[in-house]
Amino acid sequence: MNRDKAVRLSINIYAVMLLTIFIFAASGCVSLQKQPVKMPTISTEMLTTQALVSVADKAWRSRDYISSELYYTRLLERSDIPEREIPPATERLAISSFKSGHYHEAEARLEQWKKLSDEAISSPVWQQYYFETLTAIKSFPKLRTHLSTTMEDPFLSWDIRSTAGKNLSGMDQDANSLTALERLYAIAPDDSNKQELEQWFMQGLEKKTKAEIEAMNGLVPSEANLKFPYELLIFEKAVRQSGDTEYWPMSWRTMAGIIQNGQIADKAYFSAILSKLEGQYGIPRVGIALVLPISGRFQEYGWKIVRGAGAAQWEMTKAGLDVDVQVINTEAPDWLERLQNLPPWYTTIGGPISVKAFKQLEQAGTYADKVTFSFLAKPGNLEEGKQAWRFFSSPEDQIRSTLDLAVNDLGITKLAVLYPQEKFGRQMSKKFFDLAAQRGARITGMESYPPRDFPQWGKVVGKLVRAPQKKAQNEAEGLGEDAPLPETDFGAVFIPDTWHQAQLLIPHFFFHEADTLVFLGPELWSQALNSARDVEARNLRLTVAPGAWWPASDGAGRLKEVMDNEGLGTPDFWVALGYDFIKFAGKLGTFSEGWTADTVNDRISEAQHMDFSLAPISWDAEGKASQKLYLFRPEQNGKTRIDANLVSSTLAKAKARREARVKAWEEKQAELKAKKEEASALDGSKTEQ
């Protein structure tokens, strides 16, 4: 018998054996996965290595993965296997193991394949089976790490990196999924890759239910509404709302705004979607009324708001958005009549900025016909979120921002309040007390002072920091008048007064050695600091005030660029207020007669996803606004923005200075004591002599 015949005979014998095994397996007598049969092993041992290569390859080509897994396993055990056969055999064994449901074996062989070949991870086949294998064995932490690393690897092809990023995003149904796609888009090499991602993501969104789209929109951060993939979530929701006549104006503005200002590479693709909808529903028209003082005492603020509104309107007009803005002077005797006689598409009001004018609007009942956003800290006696809405920071916003710093960031849980004996001071103190309690903080000191009786202030501050008790305690312990006073039991003081008054009050704390306190104030401080000059800032480094406007913020920078291009001057808080409101109100669209608060709140939930030039405002489901204000501290000529890290560092330095001062005093006392003892010893010696 020659060699070829021997090989064929061996193959035939093995085929008969294998058939026998399948028959037993079918009858339930043999488990192929759990009980490897010895006869095939014996039969493979009868084959030469080259014959085993042929048998394994034949099983592979016929997609008999159970057999090919066995053959390639035996083949790779041979010591005489040609080196060139090892990589393909390892690859096929990994895939055969996966196809046979032996996932842990598949993982081991895939890892082996990667070690054998530097090009394995560059193979779409290896990547696909590694992903599916780790998914099958539920090794999710390892899979996330692999996908993230692959996505970020600049030496791999974009197809592999893109697939890894898409798979990574598919592992979660939360914000992490969108974050992964945001990163993938950011590292895409060129616009064609970004366009493919956009279309792929939109095609995926089309398959999702309304509830799924709503849930995903809830994950959109307010500051990321014009970035991929968040903007496309908003775009898709707007597309779905387009068929509702009530929502069409808002949907149209949302889509047009994203196309114009968003992070979109394939504008033609999205413009085509919008054009098709425009063909069905037309281009809507929106009217916004600004009710402001254009003459009289507050006209300066009114005109600034108008300038900002004009910049926003011009910017939106260039983007193809049809927005009408009508300004009505609240100082004119017939202003309410003019407001009520506006054309029907003027359904949204911004303003007033004076309590008196808002009371007039409230008494006239105009708020019931037009959706009203007050430029005030409180919408009069109207219920916020139902009868009127707020486009302005509230006292609670101011206090929340400072408490977040003191309690959440600095860990100060004992606080004090020093307030003027007048309405504003009492009201703010009560709000501070309540909001502090909600955070688990305690007010361990509270005093009030007569706002104009300056000579009394030193005594009031001394009483607050318990200076008389501390001095008495030192005296009881036999310490001199120069002994340092113990620290207060609170770490921060809230002073709800003007900046002028605060500057006069704070030095009294240093006089009473309470020099490691954080001083918290209202927005009045930061407003005054906008024009302050020659401030004695050295002892005010732990003074913190909230504010909505910071010229160096990204949003303010964009507004400045718009203002510069149109020759409209330098923006400030009031200009930014007008600019942001028109952009926001333009997204709301028009409201049909008989609108409800729920309708308005639904629109707001979409419109608030925009780039603010002021500190961002957000509204909850009930239509109540909150603004996350910036924090500032005084500088010699104005103010500078601060964060928790800076305040924490400054506070640590203040405490270190105090400790050094106390240590120096203690060392001096020890030195004096030693000298006294030495002198006493000398006197005793002389007496003995």
Side-chain angles (χ1 to χ4, degrees), residues 289 291 335-336 339-340 346-352 357-374 379-390 591-597 600:
V291 288
W335 74 271
L336 283 169
L339 179 61
Q340 291 163 350
Y346 284 89
T347 58
T348 302
I349 297 174
F358 194 87
K359 283 183 178 179
Q360 291 175 320
L361 183 146
E362 184 180 334
Q363 291 167 358
T366 309
Y367 65 89
D369 298 322
K370 299 186 184 298
V371 179
T372 303
F373 287 85
S374 71
N381 296 314
L382 301 182
E383 186 174 358
E384 184 179 352
K386 289 190 176 180
Q387 297 173 301
W389 288 261
R390 182 164 50 86
F591 293 90
S592 60
E593 190 175 353
W595 54 266
T596 66
V600 178

Side-chain angles (χ1 to χ4, degrees), residues 153-329:
D153 191 339
F155 297 105
L156 295 176
S157 70
W158 177 248
D159 284 344
I160 286 178
R161 297 174 67 192
S162 177
T163 300
K166 292 172 182 175
N167 286 337
L168 180 61
S169 75
M171 291 188 66
D172 299 296
Q173 299 299 319
D174 56 18
N176 291 331
S177 171
L178 301 179
T179 301
L181 288 178
E182 180 184 6
R183 176 59 184 165
L184 181 63
Y185 190 89
I187 62 177
D190 54 48
D191 280 351
S192 64
N193 303 132
K194 294 180 188 291
Q195 290 169 3
E196 185 276 327
L197 275 174
E198 290 169 355
Q199 294 188 28
W200 167 81
F201 188 66
M202 287 299 291
Q203 289 162 7
L205 292 181
E206 289 171 4
K207 300 173 185 176
K208 294 190 179 295
T209 64
K210 179 183 178 182
E212 288 173 325
I213 293 295
E214 290 285 353
M216 292 178 74
N217 266 266
L219 301 174
V220 178
S222 59
E223 70 277 5
N225 59 288
L226 289 177
K227 293 181 180 178
F228 179 90
Y230 310 105
E231 61 186 355
L232 301 194
L233 279 169
I234 298 170
F235 191 95
E236 175 63 20
K237 184 173 181 180
V239 169
R240 297 192 183 201
Q241 291 176 331
S242 297
D244 188 333
T245 305
E246 182 77 12
Y247 275 95
W248 169 236
M250 181 181 182
S251 298
W252 184 84
R253 275 160 177 75
T254 296
M255 289 183 281
I258 289 173
I259 292 170
Q260 177 69 21
N261 302 312
Q263 191 183 63
I264 288 180
D266 196 351
K267 290 187 182 291
Y269 175 84
F270 293 94
S271 294
I273 296 174
L274 182 57
S275 294
K276 182 178 179 181
L277 293 170
E278 287 174 345
Q280 292 178 264
Y281 309 116
I283 298 178
R285 187 179 188 184
V286 171
I288 304 166
L290 289 176
V291 288
L292 302 166
I294 303 304
S295 59
R297 179 183 172 190
F298 299 111
Q299 62 176 302
E300 177 186 355
Y301 307 123
W303 279 112
K304 285 183 176 182
I305 293 173
V306 171
R307 278 171 49 210
Q313 184 183 17
W314 177 239
E315 192 177 18
M316 295 165 77
T317 300
K318 289 191 296 183
L321 308 180
D322 187 10
V323 178
D324 294 340
V325 178
Q326 180 74 43
V327 180
I328 295 177
N329 184 7

Side-chain angles (χ1 to χ4, degrees), residues 523-537:
E523 193 169 9
L524 288 172
W525 292 11
S526 68
Q527 291 173 357
L529 287 169
N530 288 333
S531 56
R533 295 294 179 268
D534 299 323
V535 175
E536 181 53 58

